[in-house]
Amino acid sequence: MEYVIAFLIGGLICAVVQLVMDNTNLLPGRIMVGLVCAGAILSFFHLYEPIAEWAQAGATVPLIGFGHLLFKGVKEAVDQKGFIGTFYGGLESAAVGISGALIMGYLASLIFKSKMK
């Protein structure tokens, strides 16, 4: 049942984002930044944590979950170290995801050629 819930919630998030992409003139980069910010804002108001616990990977894998992860890392670092935690808390909690994105982006740049317009 966990897989079904994760699939449905992740699919619902993706469907909503696809509707936004199809019905607005927003560029994909702005939509992605909006998702990360939405995750952080929902986490600030303690609305995303219950969803993330219930739907697990369905809510934490999409970009909105990345915003939740960044906020959670900053909050924990600020609680432990004070103001200085704002500078490293998010990076510390999301280091694996950020590293993976950088490595995969680099490997993709070695394999594929860019098409400049």
Side-chain angles (χ1 to χ4, degrees):
M1 190 64 180
E2 294 174 2
Y3 295 119
V4 174
I5 292 171
F7 178 78
L8 291 175
I9 298 302
L12 180 67
I13 292 169
C14 292
V16 169
V17 172
Q18 188 64 49
L19 286 172
V20 170
M21 290 176 72
D22 290 344
N23 296 315
T24 65
N25 291 329
L26 291 173
L27 298 173
R30 292 184 180 186
I31 294 171
M32 290 174 17
V33 169
L35 286 169
V36 173
C37 292
I41 291 168
L42 288 172
S43 293
F44 176 77
F45 290 111
H46 304 287
L47 298 174
Y48 202 76
E49 186 69 31
I51 296 169
E53 287 178 6
W54 178 66
Q56 297 176 0
T60 57
V61 170
L63 274 176
I64 195 167
F66 185 68
H68 167 68
L69 178 68
L70 288 173
F71 177 80
K72 198 166 131 180
V74 169
K75 183 179 181 301
E76 289 172 4
V78 168
D79 290 344
Q80 292 174 359
K81 301 287 183 183
F83 179 73
I84 195 73
T86 58
F87 298 108
Y88 76 87
L91 292 175
E92 188 176 51
S93 68
V96 173
I98 294 169
S99 298
L102 288 171
I103 292 168
M104 292 301 159
Y106 177 71
L107 291 176
S109 73
L110 292 176
I111 297 169
F112 303 103
K113 294 186 179 202
S114 65
K115 296 178 182 175
M116 300 298 288
K117 291 184 181 181

